[in-house]
Amino acid sequence: MTQDVIALTPQMPDTGTVLAGLLAGGPDLLVNRAGDGSVAQLCTAAGQALVSLEAPRYVQVPGEVARLLGPDVHAESPVWWTEVRATSSVEGAARLAGSVAGRLVAVHGGDVWPREAGHTEVVTDLADAVAEATPLGVDLLTEKAAVVIQGRPVIAATTWLTDVVRNAARTGYELQLVTPPSTRLTFPARTLLDGLPSRWVVSDPECGYYDGLSGSVLHWHDGRFTHAAADSPRIADAFRPRTGTEDEQQLLLSIRTVHPADEHLVLGGALEQAWRTLTGAPPAGWATSEPVSVPWSPRQLTDLARTRAQQSLPTWAVAIGTPDRPAVATVRTARTHLGVEEHITLAVGYRAGQSTPVDTIPELAESLAARHNLATMIVQLRTARADLTTSAHHEPPPVPLSFTLGRDAVAELDADRTPFAPTRLGPAARPALHYALGEGTDPAAWQRLRQINDYLATSTSGS
């Protein structure tokens, strides 16, 4: 299992402190640079990578440390977050990672997570370590799968995980993330894995392996984890629903906008409008991975997206809310033949006794259509954890509440006929169409949404 150790310090680790930390392995280990130069690796003379040290991140967003590491960590934003990751293929590498992190904290103060991993002793017995070569961060590489074993209580969409996902997709491997049953995925981590050849594999001491999202019993076969019974997958007993969150809900919005590509464009307006409508405040922070480190800034998001678009690259970002109002979103921005597209997935959590503001959705839809170039929006409701993490237990699927079609898409329809009567939003000459599909409890709403999609597929101009 890959061992992650995090140094949380009130001051930025300076060059001298980092070098002192890297000397935790003694003089016989080499320091190499990896990635874009922001990662330092401790390696043996034979080139075996033992530990990677990522560039410190200044986490300024309140509550972010507790969200990802738990409430018992004695560090609060703003704080410098430095990840140290040990390879799982060499015994003793995890102790080396603990010493690197412990030395950073010994100089600058703060805390090591997990606390029991931190120390300052020199680990001198790894210079001759030899292991089967795999990319650092991947525990097993077969012809079909890249297997990553993690023991963190919360798996986040860290820089490391986004790199592993990107490399697995680029090289054609199926990514398989193996965790204990107590592990949860953050909303961005789950979103990151969606749509990719990937699987969340839960290792349960009583029932073996099962899929953390579907509950299907798994076994190791032909170089990867796959269904134990191909014809009729069996559901693991450990996947049964857990009590305690049955009165909590998540409101899920999938928003797509299409903007003209010009120098005056500022991204993030649709996301901020939705956030303000549903929570009463804008996002608290944003970043291209977790932990979310900097305060919310549409201008900075736009500058990054514009720079990456010049390299023909999309931009993927995460935004979060304040601790007292759980909300998190992922935003994918790309330049297409239509213009600049934003694909936003926003989740807002509601604890027991809190009401979901579903009555504000039509108002939000009209505002997005009028001011933020809305193309489509689907709103869904589900019974699930208010903290917006996903546990390895059954959760009811989301149920659609509404579907909104933006003005440009409506203008392309051949005829003014739909399977259900929509509400017209905006000017009569150029309206958006808003379809109420139900109250979020009737699964038949999915059938209504499919009927609308079928109608749109056959009714656009040129079809």
Side-chain angles (χ1 to χ4, degrees):
M1 178 184 298
T2 303
Q3 176 67 57
D4 301 336
V5 186
I6 302 171
L8 301 163
T9 59
Q11 298 176 338
M12 179 181 179
D14 54 49
T15 302
T17 306
V18 171
L19 289 175
L22 293 174
L23 286 174
D28 295 326
L29 296 183
L30 304 177
V31 178
N32 294 331
R33 289 288 182 179
D36 59 0
S38 63
V39 177
Q41 291 184 344
L42 276 177
C43 305
T44 66
Q48 172 67 51
L50 302 173
V51 164
S52 70
L53 175 68
E54 295 187 0
R57 297 183 63 174
Y58 189 44
V59 179
Q60 306 172 59
V61 180
E64 186 66 347
V65 174
R67 183 178 75 91
L68 299 182
L69 301 182
D72 297 331
V73 178
H74 299 301
E76 186 49 85
S77 307
V79 66
W80 288 93
W81 175 302
T82 307
E83 292 227 13
V84 188
R85 181 164 292 103
T87 180
S88 61
S89 58
V90 175
E91 185 177 356
R95 190 162 176 268
L96 176 58
S99 181
V100 173
R103 288 170 174 234
L104 299 183
V105 170
V107 174
H108 292 298
D111 206 1
V112 173
W113 181 92
R115 187 164 300 147
E116 64 274 11
H119 64 95
T120 58
E121 299 174 7
V122 177
V123 182
T124 58
D125 55 351
L126 300 177
D128 298 323
V130 178
E132 184 177 351
T134 58
L136 189 60
V138 174
D139 295 283
L140 178 64
L141 193 65
T142 72
E143 292 183 357
K144 297 182 177 180
V147 180
V148 175
I149 306 174
Q150 281 280 292
R152 291 167 79 148
V154 176
I155 303 295
T158 60
T159 301
W160 160 77
L161 182 60
T162 56
D163 286 343
V164 169
V165 168
R166 186 182 303 112
N167 291 333
R170 177 178 54 83
T171 54
Y173 288 100
E174 179 179 350
L175 177 63
Q176 301 200 326
L177 180 65
V178 183
T179 75
S182 58
T183 292
R184 292 174 285 121
L185 305 182
T186 66
F187 183 78
R190 177 172 179 176
T191 303
L192 189 66
L193 298 177
D194 282 347
L196 295 174
S198 63
R199 188 183 297 279
W200 178 17
V201 181
V202 179
S203 176
D204 187 275
E206 297 183 0
C207 69
Y209 298 100
Y210 68 94
D211 189 299
L213 299 179
S214 71
S216 298
V217 174
L218 305 173
H219 69 157
W220 183 260
H221 176 71
D222 196 23
R224 61 177 177 169
F225 287 99
T226 187
H227 295 294
D231 295 335
S232 55
R234 184 166 55 89
I235 304 301
D237 292 338
F239 190 68
R240 62 186 179 276
R242 289 294 178 94
T243 59
T245 60
E246 59 272 13
D247 294 326
E248 299 180 4
Q249 291 185 308
Q250 296 177 4
L251 191 63
L252 307 173
L253 286 76
S254 297
I255 302 170
R256 176 173 165 261
T257 64
V258 182
H259 308 279
D262 60 51
E263 67 273 15
H264 302 296
L265 173 63
V266 177
L267 299 171
L271 176 61
E272 182 170 326
Q273 180 65 61
W275 216 295
R276 287 182 181 276
T277 299
L278 298 174
T279 73
W286 80 284
T288 55
S289 61
E290 295 177 290
V292 172
S293 52
V294 297
W296 171 246
S297 172
R299 174 59 64 184
Q300 291 179 359
L301 174 63
T302 303
D303 290 344
L304 175 64
R306 183 171 285 118
T307 298
R308 290 183 60 82
Q310 291 170 353
Q311 305 169 31
S312 300
L313 296 173
T315 298
W316 189 83
V318 178
I320 62 167
T322 56
D324 61 326
R325 185 61 64 91
V328 63
T330 62
V331 184
R332 186 180 186 276
T333 305
R335 177 70 183 271
T336 72
H337 69 283
L338 297 175
V340 179
E341 295 192 37
E342 292 178 293
H343 294 259
I344 302 165
T345 305
L346 169 62
V348 185
Y350 299 90
R351 303 179 182 92
Q354 292 181 318
S355 59
T356 54
V358 295
D359 56 335
T360 66
I361 297 301
E363 173 192 346
L364 172 61
E366 184 169 8
S367 176
L368 294 179
R371 298 184 229 169
H372 299 289
N373 298 307
L374 177 69
T376 59
M377 179 173 71
I378 300 175
V379 181
Q380 303 172 70
L381 188 65
R382 71 181 306 181
T383 299
R385 297 177 62 101
D387 65 8
L388 304 174
T389 61
T390 299
S391 61
H393 304 287
H394 173 75
E395 293 179 338
V399 178
L401 285 168
S402 65
F403 172 78
T404 306
L405 190 65
R407 295 177 176 180
D408 289 344
V410 171
E412 294 179 0
L413 296 179
D414 282 340
D416 186 15
R417 54 181 179 79
T418 61
F420 306 102
T423 299
R424 292 176 174 270
L425 305 176
R430 196 166 177 265
L433 299 182
H434 179 75
Y435 299 85
L437 302 175
E439 301 297 323
T441 57
D442 182 6
W446 278 112
Q447 178 62 28
R448 301 184 190 105
L449 181 59
R450 280 191 291 269
Q451 287 179 272
I452 294 172
N453 283 333
D454 291 344
Y455 159 73
L456 295 176
T458 58
S459 299
T460 54
S461 298
S463 61

